[in-house]
Amino acid sequence: MMNVSKLACLRCKHKKIKCDRGQPKCHQCVTAIADCTYVERRQRPRLGEAKVEVRNLNRRVEFLEKQLQSGDQAPPHASPSPPSSEVPPSVRIFPPGSPNTSFAAEDGRDTWIYRMATDAKRNFAKVNTQSLNTPADTPDSHIDNAMSALDAALEDLGKLRVRSGEGVPNRTSLKVSPDEARRCVDIFLELIDSMVVPALFTRGLDLHILRSLADIVESPYVAVDPGLRVLYYNALFYGLRHMHGQGTPLAWAAYLKILETVPSWLSSPTKTNLDGHTAALTCWTAINNLDYHLSWKFHCMSCQFLRMKGTDLLDSTPAKTQEEENKRNMLRGLYWEVLQTDLLFRVFYDKPPAIKWSPDKVKAPSLFSPGHFRPRKNQVIPLVIWIQLTILTVEMVDFLDSVTQEERGEGFYDRVDRFCLETEELLKEWDLEILMKSENESIKMRFLYGDHVMNAYAMIVGIRRLTRRPNSERPVDEVTLRAARKVNNLILYFNNVVPEPGAQKFEFVQFIRFYPFCAVFSLYEHILMCNDPEECENDITLLENIGIAMQQASTVQADFEPFSNIIRALNKLAKTMQDERQRTKSHTNINPQTFMLEYQQLGEPEVPRQQQGINLPQPANSIFGPTNDNDSRLRYFPDLFVSNMDGDFQPLGFVRAVENDFFGRNWHEGWWDMDGDLSGRLPVVPEYGGPEADN
């Protein structure tokens, strides 16, 4: 059991004076005639109790890993009981019912990408109505083959699970020298300083302590705070990926180290401001590793940290001192970062809200603070865009939650249109796309501006998907199409941006692993609904280029390959159906020239005797002038149109057609040979259509 002891009262602690902890008031508060308030603290468990807790957590982790590897469900009586020191429900860091461990794995079928890809496959299947027993080498069999490839890609993605690395043969161990570790920390600090808004996320945190951990983190004689240890391995993960490339096994080993350190972090009774930043950062680390289920758990942890600290009510009362205001401003940056992540889960991952924002309870973070009165342009612009976009989106999502499906009317859809319009106008007002492509900006800032632009358009696509009109003939409207095309074109643009010397395309990897899935499925739906194949031809090309970029990314990141295969399989299916539509269109909307060419190749039908005869039409200008579709020459002399695919009348073709018709009626051959003599001696006339006749 944990002992409970009393701290000094809040007034004495704030004034830094000695408190005698008297009851019901201490002596200092009695003298000052002031309120005396005590808070109780939970003492850390004794060493033996801590070992028992860690042992119980390790057993639970091993049990869950075995269950995941076997794929079987344990019977109810075999389920291990939770440890007695489980976190109380009031401060539970994961949703009720989920295992209290970061190793909890999800099936690939639970991912939002699998769900959206399955919906796309279902839509393709509805449009594709061909028989399953179609002969080989026909267009329909090609569609069946493409559908089979998509099924295989979905099956591979469905088998994907979060791996712990335990028991994996030839697993790469995390062996990093102290010098290399410090280099990783320096890269991480530079990287995190440019996230979302430069120098905002890390304000008030002294993260340089991570450099000192390189020499002591593995020492058995030094007790390192578990939360700080998790943050350190996060730094190694990002630093190693930046130094050695995205597919380096060392980065994966660092990610596994993060997961292995999490149980001891969860069992730690102390929670500091650093824990909130660590949880928010680890959430994005899990997203980068495509562990969406884990990312949701870490997001819930960061949200509950904010509630435990009262950050969701931070500005309900004004700050009493400037020091308190500075501390609040640091927490505001964390709060808005977590709030934006929550919107991501709500719009795309179909998760419930984990945190609520109210303008009178949490203010936007400020760039102005003591010692920081001259913010730079690359801080002001991202902060303004980020805050305004977050406010627009959270108000829109809260509005959606307040309106039922039956209550959606024209006013509801007008509200959605206004959100999309205001979002696009926000980007234009600040010329964000111009700055994104400006050669005067650093590569880092261009990627940061591009991140904000793609985030804005991705939110438009996500909101439009959640607010579709029922029974609409075109589920993908022009606004959604414009936003989806913008996201994909920007991905291709940044794929061609050359990084600075000595730097990896780290930011682009973040783009290609997330943003395409926000936009490509809207383009697939548009392709399915297109009546004119030419209307979506550019979208087919755009998606194919995205597939190529994703395939290139998967060559250095094996874990990305199942997701890349999904897009490539959908592209193949879309392209195959597009080719089939083009072929069908060429048979249903045939111009006269093409039709007559095919007609002649198949052979002329026999003309009844009563229709035989010559009825040469009288053209408007001359016998060799243009003709119309109803002209009888089209009926009796198809050869006219064979040699000219542009629709122009061919005199030579007309003469040959007349000649052929006369030959069929046994007219004398010599009558058509102007070189023959009048004595009746006629030259040999080759058969019509032979090589000599062509000459």
Side-chain angles (χ1 to χ4, degrees):
M1 297 297 292
M2 294 184 183
N3 299 324
V4 178
S5 62
K6 184 177 296 184
L7 297 169
C9 73
L10 295 180
R11 181 177 176 275
C12 293
K13 183 177 180 181
H14 178 70
K15 292 185 173 294
K16 297 182 179 180
I17 58 179
K18 184 173 180 59
C19 180
D20 63 357
R21 305 179 187 180
Q23 291 293 342
K25 289 185 177 183
C26 71
H27 178 73
Q28 299 286 357
C29 292
V30 171
T31 303
I33 314 178
D35 293 334
C36 185
T37 304
Y38 291 102
V39 293
E40 293 182 347
R41 67 179 177 187
R42 295 163 58 91
Q43 292 184 346
R44 295 192 180 189
R46 293 188 297 271
L47 181 61
E49 295 175 347
K51 291 182 178 180
V52 172
E53 294 174 13
V54 173
R55 190 180 302 113
N56 289 335
L57 286 172
N58 289 334
R59 290 174 179 173
R60 182 169 179 80
V61 169
E62 293 175 1
F63 173 80
L64 291 172
E65 290 173 354
K66 290 179 181 179
Q67 292 299 109
L68 293 175
Q69 293 174 1
S70 64
D72 300 328
Q73 297 294 331
H77 64 273
S79 178
S81 58
S84 58
S85 59
E86 188 177 9
V87 181
S90 59
V91 293
R92 186 183 298 275
I93 58 178
F94 292 148
S98 62
N100 187 18
T101 172
S102 66
F103 286 98
E106 70 169 346
D107 192 285
R109 289 178 170 81
D110 296 332
T111 62
W112 65 291
I113 296 176
Y114 183 91
R115 184 181 68 250
M116 298 182 74
T118 303
D119 291 340
K121 173 196 169 185
R122 188 180 300 112
N123 292 333
F124 274 108
K126 289 180 180 178
V127 176
N128 178 32
T129 57
Q130 82 284 355
S131 172
L132 296 178
N133 298 320
T134 309
D137 297 330
T138 64
D140 286 345
S141 67
H142 297 163
I143 294 178
D144 288 341
N145 293 336
M147 192 71 75
S148 299
L150 178 57
D151 288 335
L154 283 171
E155 184 178 358
D156 291 340
L157 182 59
K159 294 177 180 178
L160 186 66
R161 291 178 182 270
V162 177
R163 293 167 291 172
S164 67
E166 295 294 336
V168 177
N170 301 323
R171 172 187 169 183
T172 302
S173 59
L174 185 61
K175 294 182 179 179
V176 181
S177 66
D179 291 338
E180 187 176 12
R182 280 187 285 269
R183 175 59 181 155
C184 290
V185 171
D186 292 337
I187 294 174
F188 167 73
L189 295 179
E190 181 181 357
L191 174 68
I192 197 175
D193 189 56
S194 61
M195 290 179 56
V196 186
V197 179
L200 180 66
F201 187 73
T202 58
R203 179 179 294 180
L205 296 177
D206 184 14
L207 296 181
H208 289 85
I209 191 177
L210 296 175
R211 300 185 85 256
S212 63
L213 293 183
D215 298 307
I216 62 175
V217 68
E218 299 295 341
S219 173
Y221 305 106
V222 180
V224 180
D225 181 79
L228 190 62
R229 187 186 294 268
V230 172
L231 186 60
Y232 171 76
Y233 288 126
N234 269 281
L236 292 188
F237 169 78
Y238 288 104
L240 289 170
R241 283 217 305 183
H242 195 276
M243 292 172 57
H244 301 290
Q246 304 298 324
T248 175
L250 285 175
W252 176 249
Y255 180 62
L256 294 181
K257 271 291 188 180
I258 296 173
L259 301 185
E260 292 173 3
T261 311
V262 166
S264 60
W265 179 33
L266 300 183
S267 63
S268 175
T270 59
K271 292 293 180 290
T272 65
N273 291 341
L274 189 63
D275 291 306
H277 288 81
T278 302
L281 177 65
T282 310
C283 171
W284 277 101
T285 304
I287 291 177
N288 288 331
N289 285 276
L290 305 170
D291 292 347
Y292 298 109
H293 191 60
L294 284 181
S295 66
W296 166 246
K297 288 180 174 293
F298 284 116
H299 171 64
C300 291
M301 179 178 180
S302 59
C303 291
Q304 294 189 4
F305 168 83
L306 294 177
R307 287 194 292 270
M308 289 169 55
K309 292 291 184 179
T311 311
D312 54 338
L313 305 174
L314 192 64
D315 295 309
S316 299
T317 58
K320 297 179 180 179
T321 63
Q322 184 60 47
E323 181 182 1
E324 182 181 355
E325 175 62 23
N326 294 339
K327 292 180 179 179
R328 288 188 180 188
N329 200 41
M330 181 188 67
L331 290 174
R332 291 187 193 111
L334 173 61
Y335 177 89
W336 283 83
E337 173 69 21
V338 174
L339 179 61
Q340 188 191 50
T341 305
D342 192 64
L343 294 174
L344 168 73
F345 280 105
R346 294 173 68 180
V347 173
F348 293 103
Y349 298 0
D350 195 26
K351 297 293 186 181
I355 191 171
K356 284 289 186 178
W357 173 74
S358 178
D360 58 343
K361 294 181 179 178
V362 183
K363 297 189 298 186
S366 173
L367 287 177
F368 295 94
S369 62
H372 194 268
F373 290 109
R374 298 181 60 185
R376 301 186 304 273
K377 181 189 73 171
N378 62 3
Q379 293 177 306
V380 175
I381 295 178
L383 178 65
V384 172
I385 298 295
W386 179 50
I387 294 299
Q388 291 195 37
L389 178 60
T390 303
I391 292 176
L392 284 173
T393 309
V394 72
E395 290 178 346
M396 186 70 241
V397 175
D398 288 344
F399 174 74
L400 298 184
D401 293 341
S402 65
V403 180
T404 63
Q405 189 72 29
E406 294 75 16
E407 296 173 342
R408 295 185 177 184
E410 288 303 319
F412 172 85
Y413 296 106
D414 290 342
R415 175 70 177 82
V416 176
D417 293 339
R418 188 165 69 252
F419 162 79
C420 299
L421 180 62
E422 291 176 349
T423 301
E424 291 182 305
E425 288 180 346
L426 176 64
L427 300 178
K428 294 178 181 178
E429 178 184 0
W430 289 86
D431 295 328
L432 213 58
E433 292 189 50
I434 297 177
L435 292 172
M436 176 191 70
K437 299 180 180 180
S438 175
E439 297 293 337
N440 297 326
E441 300 288 343
S442 66
I443 297 295
K444 181 172 64 176
M445 287 308 302
R446 290 173 63 185
F447 272 100
L448 181 58
Y449 290 139
D451 189 16
H452 285 287
V453 173
M454 283 190 281
N455 181 43
Y457 282 112
M459 284 300 178
I460 291 178
V461 175
I463 292 297
R464 301 293 274 196
R465 177 180 291 274
L466 295 176
T467 58
R468 290 179 174 177
R469 292 176 180 266
N471 304 322
S472 175
E473 295 181 359
R474 294 184 65 87
V476 183
D477 57 275
E478 291 300 325
V479 176
T480 305
L481 277 179
R482 183 169 64 247
R485 289 165 179 164
K486 180 72 71 171
V487 171
N488 287 286
N489 279 311
L490 288 179
I491 290 173
L492 297 178
Y493 169 79
F494 281 106
N495 188 32
N496 297 323
V497 173
V498 180
E500 296 174 345
Q504 301 283 344
K505 294 181 66 172
F506 177 82
E507 292 84 357
F508 175 74
V509 173
Q510 316 311 312
F511 293 169
I512 199 68
R513 293 168 77 92
F514 173 70
Y515 284 116
F517 304 106
C518 300
V520 295
F521 296 103
S522 296
L523 295 183
Y524 290 132
E525 291 178 289
H526 169 64
I527 293 170
L528 284 174
M529 295 296 106
C530 275
N531 295 323
D532 184 6
E534 300 297 330
E535 183 181 350
C536 56
E537 186 65 29
N538 291 335
D539 293 325
I540 293 285
T541 304
L542 177 60
L543 289 169
E544 289 179 337
N545 291 332
I546 289 293
I548 294 174
M550 298 180 77
Q551 184 178 13
Q552 293 172 349
S554 65
T555 57
V556 294
Q557 304 170 79
D559 60 330
F560 189 58
E561 186 174 1
F563 298 88
S564 173
N565 290 341
I566 288 290
I567 301 302
R568 291 164 54 199
L570 285 170
N571 287 347
K572 180 180 179 181
L573 182 57
K575 179 62 176 176
T576 304
M577 298 189 71
Q578 177 79 346
D579 294 341
E580 170 63 9
R581 286 176 173 176
Q582 293 281 12
R583 186 186 69 85
T584 304
K585 180 182 178 182
S586 65
H587 285 276
T588 55
N589 301 323
I590 303 176
N591 57 51
Q593 296 86 350
T594 305
F595 175 78
M596 295 310 300
L597 177 62
E598 294 178 355
Y599 172 80
Q600 187 186 30
Q601 291 173 347
L602 293 175
E604 292 184 30
E606 182 179 358
V607 181
R609 295 290 301 178
Q610 61 270 22
Q611 296 182 9
Q612 292 181 357
I614 302 177
N615 183 18
L616 298 181
Q618 297 296 326
N621 299 323
S622 67
I623 193 171
F624 299 123
T627 181
N628 56 57
D629 294 341
N630 295 325
D631 201 318
S632 58
R633 283 176 292 180
L634 180 63
R635 177 179 179 183
Y636 289 103
F637 306 114
D639 308 71
L640 292 171
F641 300 91
V642 173
S643 60
N644 184 13
M645 301 305 293
D646 296 328
D648 296 333
F649 185 81
Q650 293 294 304
L652 181 59
F654 175 75
V655 172
R656 285 183 174 176
V658 174
E659 180 185 11
N660 191 35
D661 188 86
F662 277 99
F663 283 175
R665 288 165 173 71
N666 294 322
W667 283 64
H668 202 289
E669 295 175 339
W671 294 358
W672 295 95
D673 185 59
M674 303 305 296
D675 295 330
D677 56 21
L678 297 178
S679 62
R681 290 180 296 130
L682 304 175
V684 178
V685 180
E687 181 180 359
Y688 177 75
E692 296 183 24
D694 292 338
N695 295 328

